[in-house]
PDB file of all heavy atoms in Angstrom:
ATOM      1  N   THR A 271       9.623  28.222  27.750  1.00 98.00           N
ATOM      2  CA  THR A 271      10.713  27.326  27.417  1.00 98.00           C
ATOM      3  C   THR A 271      11.154  26.486  28.603  1.00 98.00           C
ATOM      4  O   THR A 271      11.296  25.257  28.500  1.00 98.00           O
ATOM      5  CB  THR A 271      11.908  28.084  26.835  1.00 98.00           C
ATOM      6  OG1 THR A 271      11.499  28.842  25.698  1.00 98.00           O
ATOM      7  CG2 THR A 271      13.067  27.157  26.426  1.00 98.00           C
ATOM      8  N   GLU A 272      11.216  27.138  29.716  1.00 98.00           N
ATOM      9  CA  GLU A 272      11.617  26.445  30.981  1.00 98.00           C
ATOM     10  C   GLU A 272      10.612  25.387  31.346  1.00 98.00           C
ATOM     11  O   GLU A 272      10.957  24.251  31.727  1.00 98.00           O
ATOM     12  CB  GLU A 272      11.717  27.419  32.101  1.00 98.00           C
ATOM     13  CG  GLU A 272      12.986  28.374  32.060  1.00 98.00           C
ATOM     14  CD  GLU A 272      12.808  29.402  30.947  1.00 98.00           C
ATOM     15  OE1 GLU A 272      11.641  29.726  30.625  1.00 98.00           O
ATOM     16  OE2 GLU A 272      13.811  29.935  30.470  1.00 98.00           O
ATOM     17  N   GLU A 273       9.333  25.724  31.216  1.00 98.00           N
ATOM     18  CA  GLU A 273       8.279  24.751  31.549  1.00 98.00           C
ATOM     19  C   GLU A 273       8.315  23.529  30.570  1.00 98.00           C
ATOM     20  O   GLU A 273       8.082  22.402  30.972  1.00 98.00           O
ATOM     21  CB  GLU A 273       6.910  25.432  31.486  1.00 98.00           C
ATOM     22  CG  GLU A 273       6.671  26.283  32.655  1.00 98.00           C
ATOM     23  CD  GLU A 273       5.459  27.190  32.536  1.00 98.00           C
ATOM     24  OE1 GLU A 273       5.026  27.520  31.373  1.00 98.00           O
ATOM     25  OE2 GLU A 273       4.861  27.608  33.557  1.00 98.00           O
ATOM     26  N   ILE A 274       8.593  23.820  29.288  1.00 98.00           N
ATOM     27  CA  ILE A 274       8.736  22.715  28.371  1.00 98.00           C
ATOM     28  C   ILE A 274       9.916  21.791  28.789  1.00 98.00           C
ATOM     29  O   ILE A 274       9.763  20.604  28.794  1.00 98.00           O
ATOM     30  CB  ILE A 274       8.873  23.213  26.936  1.00 98.00           C
ATOM     31  CG1 ILE A 274       7.623  23.937  26.411  1.00 98.00           C
ATOM     32  CG2 ILE A 274       9.350  22.141  25.932  1.00 98.00           C
ATOM     33  CD1 ILE A 274       7.684  24.640  25.124  1.00 98.00           C
ATOM     34  N   ALA A 275      10.995  22.433  29.129  1.00 98.00           N
ATOM     35  CA  ALA A 275      12.193  21.675  29.540  1.00 98.00           C
ATOM     36  C   ALA A 275      11.871  20.842  30.822  1.00 98.00           C
ATOM     37  O   ALA A 275      12.215  19.652  30.931  1.00 98.00           O
ATOM     38  CB  ALA A 275      13.369  22.592  29.761  1.00 98.00           C
ATOM     39  N   GLU A 276      11.197  21.482  31.732  1.00 98.00           N
ATOM     40  CA  GLU A 276      10.893  20.762  33.010  1.00 98.00           C
ATOM     41  C   GLU A 276       9.922  19.585  32.812  1.00 98.00           C
ATOM     42  O   GLU A 276       9.986  18.642  33.564  1.00 98.00           O
ATOM     43  CB  GLU A 276      10.143  21.755  34.029  1.00 98.00           C
ATOM     44  CG  GLU A 276      11.105  22.652  34.753  1.00 98.00           C
ATOM     45  CD  GLU A 276      10.400  23.844  35.341  1.00 98.00           C
ATOM     46  OE1 GLU A 276       9.139  23.800  35.489  1.00 98.00           O
ATOM     47  OE2 GLU A 276      11.040  24.889  35.523  1.00 98.00           O
ATOM     48  N   ASN A 277       9.064  19.709  31.775  1.00 97.00           N
ATOM     49  CA  ASN A 277       8.036  18.661  31.565  1.00 97.00           C
ATOM     50  C   ASN A 277       8.306  17.710  30.383  1.00 97.00           C
ATOM     51  O   ASN A 277       7.398  17.032  29.968  1.00 97.00           O
ATOM     52  CB  ASN A 277       6.659  19.346  31.433  1.00 97.00           C
ATOM     53  CG  ASN A 277       6.183  19.936  32.704  1.00 97.00           C
ATOM     54  OD1 ASN A 277       5.712  19.202  33.617  1.00 97.00           O
ATOM     55  ND2 ASN A 277       6.292  21.241  32.859  1.00 97.00           N
ATOM     56  N   ILE A 278       9.516  17.771  29.949  1.00 97.00           N
ATOM     57  CA  ILE A 278       9.877  16.980  28.727  1.00 97.00           C
ATOM     58  C   ILE A 278       9.522  15.496  28.869  1.00 97.00           C
ATOM     59  O   ILE A 278       9.102  14.820  27.883  1.00 97.00           O
ATOM     60  CB  ILE A 278      11.324  17.215  28.278  1.00 97.00           C
ATOM     61  CG1 ILE A 278      11.490  16.802  26.759  1.00 97.00           C
ATOM     62  CG2 ILE A 278      12.311  16.530  29.202  1.00 97.00           C
ATOM     63  CD1 ILE A 278      10.754  17.682  25.841  1.00 97.00           C
ATOM     64  N   ASP A 279       9.579  14.956  30.061  1.00 96.00           N
ATOM     65  CA  ASP A 279       9.240  13.546  30.263  1.00 96.00           C
ATOM     66  C   ASP A 279       7.775  13.251  29.971  1.00 96.00           C
ATOM     67  O   ASP A 279       7.456  12.149  29.544  1.00 96.00           O
ATOM     68  CB  ASP A 279       9.569  13.069  31.686  1.00 96.00           C
ATOM     69  CG  ASP A 279      11.053  13.064  31.901  1.00 96.00           C
ATOM     70  OD1 ASP A 279      11.819  13.130  30.895  1.00 96.00           O
ATOM     71  OD2 ASP A 279      11.514  12.923  33.046  1.00 96.00           O
ATOM     72  N   LYS A 280       6.892  14.218  30.220  1.00 96.00           N
ATOM     73  CA  LYS A 280       5.455  14.030  29.957  1.00 96.00           C
ATOM     74  C   LYS A 280       5.187  14.263  28.448  1.00 96.00           C
ATOM     75  O   LYS A 280       4.313  13.690  27.878  1.00 96.00           O
ATOM     76  CB  LYS A 280       4.578  14.997  30.718  1.00 96.00           C
ATOM     77  CG  LYS A 280       4.513  14.716  32.177  1.00 96.00           C
ATOM     78  CD  LYS A 280       3.466  15.635  32.827  1.00 96.00           C
ATOM     79  CE  LYS A 280       3.819  15.882  34.202  1.00 96.00           C
ATOM     80  NZ  LYS A 280       3.571  17.247  34.679  1.00 96.00           N
ATOM     81  N   ILE A 281       5.964  15.177  27.888  1.00 97.00           N
ATOM     82  CA  ILE A 281       5.718  15.587  26.466  1.00 97.00           C
ATOM     83  C   ILE A 281       6.171  14.443  25.487  1.00 97.00           C
ATOM     84  O   ILE A 281       5.472  14.193  24.505  1.00 97.00           O
ATOM     85  CB  ILE A 281       6.500  16.853  26.166  1.00 97.00           C
ATOM     86  CG1 ILE A 281       5.883  18.007  26.953  1.00 97.00           C
ATOM     87  CG2 ILE A 281       6.521  17.161  24.686  1.00 97.00           C
ATOM     88  CD1 ILE A 281       6.769  19.282  27.030  1.00 97.00           C
ATOM     89  N   LEU A 282       7.236  13.805  25.832  1.00 97.00           N
ATOM     90  CA  LEU A 282       7.764  12.649  24.980  1.00 97.00           C
ATOM     91  C   LEU A 282       7.211  11.369  25.443  1.00 97.00           C
ATOM     92  O   LEU A 282       6.946  11.152  26.651  1.00 97.00           O
ATOM     93  CB  LEU A 282       9.254  12.730  24.988  1.00 97.00           C
ATOM     94  CG  LEU A 282       9.968  13.957  24.509  1.00 97.00           C
ATOM     95  CD1 LEU A 282      11.486  13.744  24.644  1.00 97.00           C
ATOM     96  CD2 LEU A 282       9.564  14.401  23.176  1.00 97.00           C
ATOM     97  N   PHE A 283       7.075  10.448  24.574  1.00 94.00           N
ATOM     98  CA  PHE A 283       6.738   9.101  24.855  1.00 94.00           C
ATOM     99  C   PHE A 283       7.845   8.446  25.674  1.00 94.00           C
ATOM    100  O   PHE A 283       9.019   8.693  25.416  1.00 94.00           O
ATOM    101  CB  PHE A 283       6.543   8.246  23.595  1.00 94.00           C
ATOM    102  CG  PHE A 283       5.240   8.367  22.906  1.00 94.00           C
ATOM    103  CD1 PHE A 283       5.135   9.127  21.715  1.00 94.00           C
ATOM    104  CD2 PHE A 283       4.065   7.875  23.404  1.00 94.00           C
ATOM    105  CE1 PHE A 283       3.944   9.294  21.081  1.00 94.00           C
ATOM    106  CE2 PHE A 283       2.820   8.037  22.745  1.00 94.00           C
ATOM    107  CZ  PHE A 283       2.816   8.746  21.562  1.00 94.00           C
ATOM    108  N   ASP A 284       7.473   7.571  26.612  1.00 91.00           N
ATOM    109  CA  ASP A 284       8.546   6.820  27.282  1.00 91.00           C
ATOM    110  C   ASP A 284       8.669   5.429  26.612  1.00 91.00           C
ATOM    111  O   ASP A 284       9.485   4.555  26.981  1.00 91.00           O
ATOM    112  CB  ASP A 284       8.316   6.673  28.782  1.00 91.00           C
ATOM    113  CG  ASP A 284       6.972   6.047  29.099  1.00 91.00           C
ATOM    114  OD1 ASP A 284       6.300   5.586  28.139  1.00 91.00           O
ATOM    115  OD2 ASP A 284       6.622   6.033  30.325  1.00 91.00           O
ATOM    116  N   GLN A 285       7.868   5.182  25.594  1.00 85.00           N
ATOM    117  CA  GLN A 285       7.979   3.931  24.840  1.00 85.00           C
ATOM    118  C   GLN A 285       8.817   4.120  23.568  1.00 85.00           C
ATOM    119  O   GLN A 285       8.845   5.221  23.057  1.00 85.00           O
ATOM    120  CB  GLN A 285       6.582   3.505  24.353  1.00 85.00           C
ATOM    121  CG  GLN A 285       5.499   3.609  25.400  1.00 85.00           C
ATOM    122  CD  GLN A 285       5.222   2.193  25.892  1.00 85.00           C
ATOM    123  OE1 GLN A 285       5.206   1.225  25.212  1.00 85.00           O
ATOM    124  NE2 GLN A 285       4.943   2.192  27.234  1.00 85.00           N
ATOM    125  N   PRO A 286       9.453   3.082  23.037  1.00 81.00           N
ATOM    126  CA  PRO A 286      10.129   3.258  21.741  1.00 81.00           C
ATOM    127  C   PRO A 286       9.156   3.518  20.610  1.00 81.00           C
ATOM    128  O   PRO A 286       7.945   3.210  20.738  1.00 81.00           O
ATOM    129  CB  PRO A 286      10.816   1.859  21.589  1.00 81.00           C
ATOM    130  CG  PRO A 286      10.107   0.951  22.446  1.00 81.00           C
ATOM    131  CD  PRO A 286       9.507   1.672  23.525  1.00 81.00           C
ATOM    132  N   ASP A 287       9.597   4.076  19.506  1.00 85.00           N
ATOM    133  CA  ASP A 287       8.761   4.379  18.335  1.00 85.00           C
ATOM    134  C   ASP A 287       8.294   3.061  17.755  1.00 85.00           C
ATOM    135  O   ASP A 287       8.846   1.979  18.015  1.00 85.00           O
ATOM    136  CB  ASP A 287       9.661   5.120  17.371  1.00 85.00           C
ATOM    137  CG  ASP A 287       8.859   5.919  16.334  1.00 85.00           C
ATOM    138  OD1 ASP A 287       7.609   5.892  16.446  1.00 85.00           O
ATOM    139  OD2 ASP A 287       9.491   6.686  15.520  1.00 85.00           O
ATOM    140  N   LEU A 288       7.260   3.183  16.946  1.00 88.00           N
ATOM    141  CA  LEU A 288       6.736   2.053  16.199  1.00 88.00           C
ATOM    142  C   LEU A 288       7.906   1.429  15.427  1.00 88.00           C
ATOM    143  O   LEU A 288       8.746   2.144  14.893  1.00 88.00           O
ATOM    144  CB  LEU A 288       5.688   2.596  15.192  1.00 88.00           C
ATOM    145  CG  LEU A 288       5.066   1.568  14.242  1.00 88.00           C
ATOM    146  CD1 LEU A 288       4.184   0.607  15.011  1.00 88.00           C
ATOM    147  CD2 LEU A 288       4.236   2.293  13.188  1.00 88.00           C
ATOM    148  N   ASN A 289       8.018   0.094  15.379  1.00 87.00           N
ATOM    149  CA  ASN A 289       9.117  -0.561  14.678  1.00 87.00           C
ATOM    150  C   ASN A 289       8.603  -1.912  14.095  1.00 87.00           C
ATOM    151  O   ASN A 289       7.425  -2.230  14.362  1.00 87.00           O
ATOM    152  CB  ASN A 289      10.394  -0.704  15.523  1.00 87.00           C
ATOM    153  CG  ASN A 289      10.098  -1.481  16.757  1.00 87.00           C
ATOM    154  OD1 ASN A 289       9.432  -2.527  16.744  1.00 87.00           O
ATOM    155  ND2 ASN A 289      10.563  -0.984  17.884  1.00 87.00           N
ATOM    156  N   MET A 290       9.464  -2.584  13.476  1.00 85.00           N
ATOM    157  CA  MET A 290       9.127  -3.921  12.806  1.00 85.00           C
ATOM    158  C   MET A 290       8.554  -4.862  13.832  1.00 85.00           C
ATOM    159  O   MET A 290       7.828  -5.767  13.481  1.00 85.00           O
ATOM    160  CB  MET A 290      10.321  -4.516  12.132  1.00 85.00           C
ATOM    161  CG  MET A 290      10.781  -3.806  10.896  1.00 85.00           C
ATOM    162  SD  MET A 290       9.399  -3.591   9.696  1.00 85.00           S
ATOM    163  CE  MET A 290       9.645  -4.916   8.689  1.00 85.00           C
ATOM    164  N   GLY A 291       8.917  -4.652  15.138  1.00 86.00           N
ATOM    165  CA  GLY A 291       8.365  -5.563  16.154  1.00 86.00           C
ATOM    166  C   GLY A 291       6.852  -5.611  16.151  1.00 86.00           C
ATOM    167  O   GLY A 291       6.265  -6.615  16.567  1.00 86.00           O
ATOM    168  N   ALA A 292       6.208  -4.508  15.750  1.00 90.00           N
ATOM    169  CA  ALA A 292       4.753  -4.488  15.700  1.00 90.00           C
ATOM    170  C   ALA A 292       4.137  -5.541  14.841  1.00 90.00           C
ATOM    171  O   ALA A 292       3.009  -5.993  15.011  1.00 90.00           O
ATOM    172  CB  ALA A 292       4.243  -3.136  15.167  1.00 90.00           C
TER     173      ALA A 292
END
Side-chain angles (χ1 to χ4, degrees):
T271 301
E272 288 73 22
E273 285 167 335
I274 291 171
E276 278 161 24
N277 288 285
I278 197 66
D279 290 349
K280 286 188 210 144
I281 293 167
L282 301 182
F283 281 106
D284 58 6
Q285 313 260 323
D287 203 355
L288 180 66
N289 58 45
M290 290 306 265

